[in-house]
Amino acid sequence: MTATSAIISDDNAPVIAVSDAGIRFRRNRRSRRNFKDLFSRKHRRTRPGEFWALRNVSFTVRAGEAIGVVGRNGQGKSTLLKLVAEVILADEGHVHVGAGVAPLIEITGGFVDDLTVRDNVYLTAGLHGMKRSEIDARFGEIIDFAEIGDFLDTPYKHLSSGMKVRIAFAVISRLEEPILLVDEVLAVGDKAFREKCYRRIEELLAGGRTLFFVSHNERDLKRFCTRGLYLDKGSLVLDAPIGDVLARYNAEYGTP
Amino acid sequence: MTSLAPQTPAWTPFARYRHSLWLLTRRDLRVRYSTSALGYVWSILDPLVMAGIYWFVFTQVFQRPVGEEPYIVFLLTALLPWMWFNGAVSDCTRAYLREAKLIRSTKIPRTIWVNRLVLSKGIEFIASLPVLALFAISTGASLGWESLLFPLGVLLQTILLVGVGLIVAPLVVFFRDLERAVKLALRFLFYASPIIYGLADLPEGLGFWAAFNPLSGIFSIYRSAFFPGQLDWFAVGMSAIVSLLLLGLGMLIFSRTERAVLKEI
């Protein structure tokens, strides 16, 4: 059922290794929860009111691979991305990420409304592990990319929502991390900026980054990715070259 | 520039932790001071007003002698650290909820969300000490060798706060009611701790039990700087034990609930 691919014949060790990973969520917030459940370590049993968002997912990613995650809404794509970003933890199995990650997930999350754009850039880049000197060196680049040079000392809350996303993308995409995770964040922003973001991603890919990309857009997937992961009903159905994965997805869910 | 630039000397996990902790703490302080006109004054106004009220009630209205003279210095030596305790614990109830967006997008060690609150409130505490000094000088209170114990008090209070924070912060995520319960408990604790009175003022027998409140020992250390008689080594020992136990419990609860917290927020 899982066709392991060997598209990239790079012989270095995997940078991402997910083995038998599963994560469980509660169906609704109100379902009963008691102290005992809270403190039990990983438990395999599914309790009423819970469902597995992902289960028995295994794959490895080698450095430099570009992976597209395909599936309908609610089939666990974003959850998988978050597991790889290690912002949520698996209930069973293991997720091993051997290198730094630049997560383009909820990119505006670290920005503080009351601080200026300048302070925010230093804060967010710093939290993602950049040193002050590195930020100093890239500050100009970041601001140029976001095209908001006139707003450096404006409080973040006074920016338009487009500008907010632009500056956030500019910061995260400047992180010198070997793995890049992209959720459908880029759906926002105007067309010109989106194209700019995509060019930046291509640039990063050409520089040897590993890409993990979640999207519904077939064109984007084909543009960046070589390998696809097809998620359906919480499990990994197909792991194959992106063309095959998209073909199967379209066959099953009849997108033209 | 597009190539995988070799990272300038990589972070050790500890350096990374310290760096993030410091960034967030500075952010807290900067936000607080950039959004209010009075800034620093606020962090000392609250204890000052409270000290003023208690000073009036206990020295002007009632004549019943509690504590020691000068009473205003006696009050402030416990009120200022109480503000640290109170502020840090009540902020910890929202430690995860307020930062949910940031927690969902970065993987920095999750204990930071508690520790930075303890740290930023601690810095405000240190910053409020000049007020105490001012009153001490104007009332002529004299400093004893016991003031050298001050770092011990800070250390114990930090341990205690991190412990309590690690217990409170994750539990509030699951039981929102706890936020109000904590507020209530803090109000109770204010009167149950030797702040407006000293340990020695308690009725016979109660003093022993009061020592189980870790704040008793900690405040007795701070107080002994001006009032050597307030130092109670039994209470200090108890508070060290209780604080360490709470820290252990906090670390246990934190590690057991971490994955559930991340799903919930």
Side-chain angles (χ1 to χ4, degrees):
Chain A
M1 122 188 171
T2 329
T4 326
S5 70
I7 308 157
I8 304 259
S9 47
D10 228 286
D11 263 338
N12 36 15
V15 282
I16 303 173
V18 177
S19 57
D20 220 13
I23 186 162
R24 191 176 358 67
F25 287 101
R26 286 190 292 152
R27 194 151 273 140
N28 64 39
R29 284 183 170 260
R30 291 204 171 275
S31 57
R32 255 167 56 92
R33 176 187 275 290
N34 55 40
F35 267 105
K36 223 174 74 201
D37 291 345
L38 209 57
F39 297 117
S40 52
R41 273 245 174 261
K42 309 175 179 184
H43 29 218
R44 298 187 154 258
R45 203 164 50 82
T46 317
R47 283 184 307 273
E50 292 192 329
F51 68 98
W52 290 91
L54 282 177
R55 202 162 194 195
N56 301 326
V57 174
S58 305
F59 61 90
T60 57
V61 179
R62 294 179 185 288
E65 276 192 280
I67 298 194
V69 185
V70 179
R72 298 180 67 213
N73 284 331
Q75 307 300 314
K77 296 191 303 295
S78 293
T79 306
L80 181 61
L81 204 63
K82 285 182 185 164
L83 278 174
V84 173
E86 294 179 287
V87 297
I88 52 174
L89 306 169
D91 286 310
E92 54 174 43
H94 295 280
V95 176
H96 173 78
V97 181
V101 167
L104 286 163
I105 311 171
E106 302 218 21
I107 46 176
T108 54
F111 287 73
V112 184
D113 278 349
D114 286 318
L115 296 182
T116 63
V117 169
R118 186 193 308 274
D119 288 344
N120 266 308
V121 168
Y122 276 91
L123 175 68
T124 306
L127 283 180
H128 280 101
M130 258 166 115
K131 296 210 165 75
R132 219 188 146 78
S133 54
E134 293 174 315
I135 308 174
D136 285 336
R138 296 210 182 86
F139 191 78
E141 258 176 64
I142 291 174
I143 297 304
D144 285 347
F145 189 90
E147 302 164 25
I148 57 169
D150 297 338
F151 298 92
L152 277 185
D153 295 303
T154 313
Y156 185 68
K157 61 183 167 193
H158 293 153
L159 298 183
S160 75
S161 51
M163 288 181 189
K164 287 182 181 174
V165 176
R166 258 151 49 196
I167 185 68
F169 181 91
V171 173
I172 311 281
S173 68
R174 283 301 132 160
L175 299 175
E176 294 291 341
E177 302 285 12
I179 304 174
L180 188 63
L181 304 179
V182 185
D183 205 345
E184 287 155 305
V185 282
L186 303 175
V188 266
D190 54 48
K191 216 171 157 192
F193 186 73
R194 191 154 68 227
E195 189 46 42
K196 198 167 166 184
C197 292
Y198 284 174
R199 274 203 307 274
R200 174 71 189 152
I201 292 176
E202 273 173 341
E203 225 175 279
L204 291 169
L205 272 175
R209 301 294 203 290
T210 308
L211 175 71
F212 215 84
F213 187 71
V214 168
S215 176
H216 282 294
N217 188 320
E218 203 167 302
R219 251 199 12 245
D220 296 346
L221 284 163
K222 279 187 177 146
R223 174 169 176 183
F224 299 119
C225 306
T226 47
R227 174 179 163 196
L229 298 176
Y230 177 25
L231 292 177
D232 196 30
K233 301 187 183 73
S235 54
L236 179 60
V237 182
L238 183 64
D239 176 353
I242 189 75
D244 300 359
V245 166
L246 286 170
R248 165 102 176 250
Y249 175 60
N250 289 335
E252 281 181 19
Y253 290 105
T255 359
Chain B
M1 182 213 85
T2 50
S3 65
L4 261 185
Q7 298 218 345
T8 40
W11 297 101
T12 63
F14 178 70
R16 176 89 196 259
Y17 190 95
R18 220 183 37 197
H19 176 74
S20 303
L21 180 62
W22 184 235
L23 273 170
L24 286 167
T25 306
R26 270 221 334 244
R27 180 196 70 167
D28 275 2
L29 296 172
R30 188 176 293 175
V31 167
R32 188 157 320 132
Y33 293 133
S34 73
T35 53
S36 66
L38 287 181
Y40 172 71
V41 179
W42 283 119
S43 62
I44 50 173
L45 207 58
D46 198 323
L48 270 184
V49 169
M50 277 173 71
I53 294 169
Y54 289 112
W55 171 81
F56 179 76
V57 170
F58 288 108
T59 64
Q60 308 300 306
V61 182
F62 302 115
Q63 298 303 324
R64 176 169 165 56
V66 290
E68 294 190 34
E69 284 306 317
Y71 188 61
I72 190 79
V73 175
F74 181 83
L75 262 178
L76 281 172
T77 44
L79 250 180
L80 295 178
W82 166 259
M83 299 308 290
W84 177 18
F85 182 83
N86 185 53
V89 172
S90 47
D91 279 5
C92 275
T93 58
R94 318 225 72 220
Y96 292 125
L97 300 174
R98 257 183 63 195
E99 300 297 336
K101 268 166 68 192
L102 192 48
I103 298 173
R104 283 200 300 258
S105 61
T106 51
K107 59 169 244 191
I108 43 185
R110 261 66 69 164
T111 49
I112 271 189
W113 305 109
V114 167
N115 291 342
R116 59 139 192 156
L117 291 171
V118 175
L119 184 60
S120 68
K121 289 291 172 187
I123 289 173
E124 284 187 6
F125 164 58
I126 302 289
S128 70
L129 288 178
V131 179
L132 178 62
L134 211 67
F135 277 98
I137 292 166
S138 64
T139 54
S142 60
L143 214 57
W145 66 267
E146 287 89 348
S147 54
L148 296 176
L149 292 173
F150 179 77
L152 176 66
V154 172
L155 177 71
L156 283 180
Q157 193 169 352
T158 306
I159 294 172
L160 173 66
L161 277 170
V162 171
V164 173
L166 288 178
I167 296 170
V168 168
L171 292 185
V172 171
V173 174
F174 305 109
F175 310 101
R176 299 288 166 104
D177 295 3
L178 210 60
E179 201 180 328
R180 302 180 110 188
V182 166
K183 294 250 146 65
L184 207 63
L186 281 172
R187 202 173 313 158
F188 170 76
L189 206 56
F190 177 80
Y191 294 100
S193 307
I195 297 169
I196 47 183
Y197 52 87
L199 266 185
D201 298 318
L202 287 171
E204 208 48 35
L206 258 178
F208 173 76
W209 296 108
F212 284 87
N213 173 358
L215 289 174
S216 302
I218 292 169
F219 292 166
S220 96
I221 292 176
Y222 292 134
R223 270 199 172 137
S224 65
F226 295 102
F227 313 100
Q230 294 292 325
L231 190 58
D232 182 335
W233 283 111
F234 173 67
V236 172
M238 280 309 296
S239 99
I241 293 170
V242 174
S243 300
L244 285 169
L245 283 178
L246 284 171
L247 180 65
L249 182 65
M251 279 163 32
L252 185 75
I253 290 185
F254 171 81
S255 67
R256 289 300 179 86
T257 53
E258 189 177 9
R259 68 187 63 241
V261 166
L262 291 175
K263 285 185 204 170
E264 197 78 9
I265 54 174

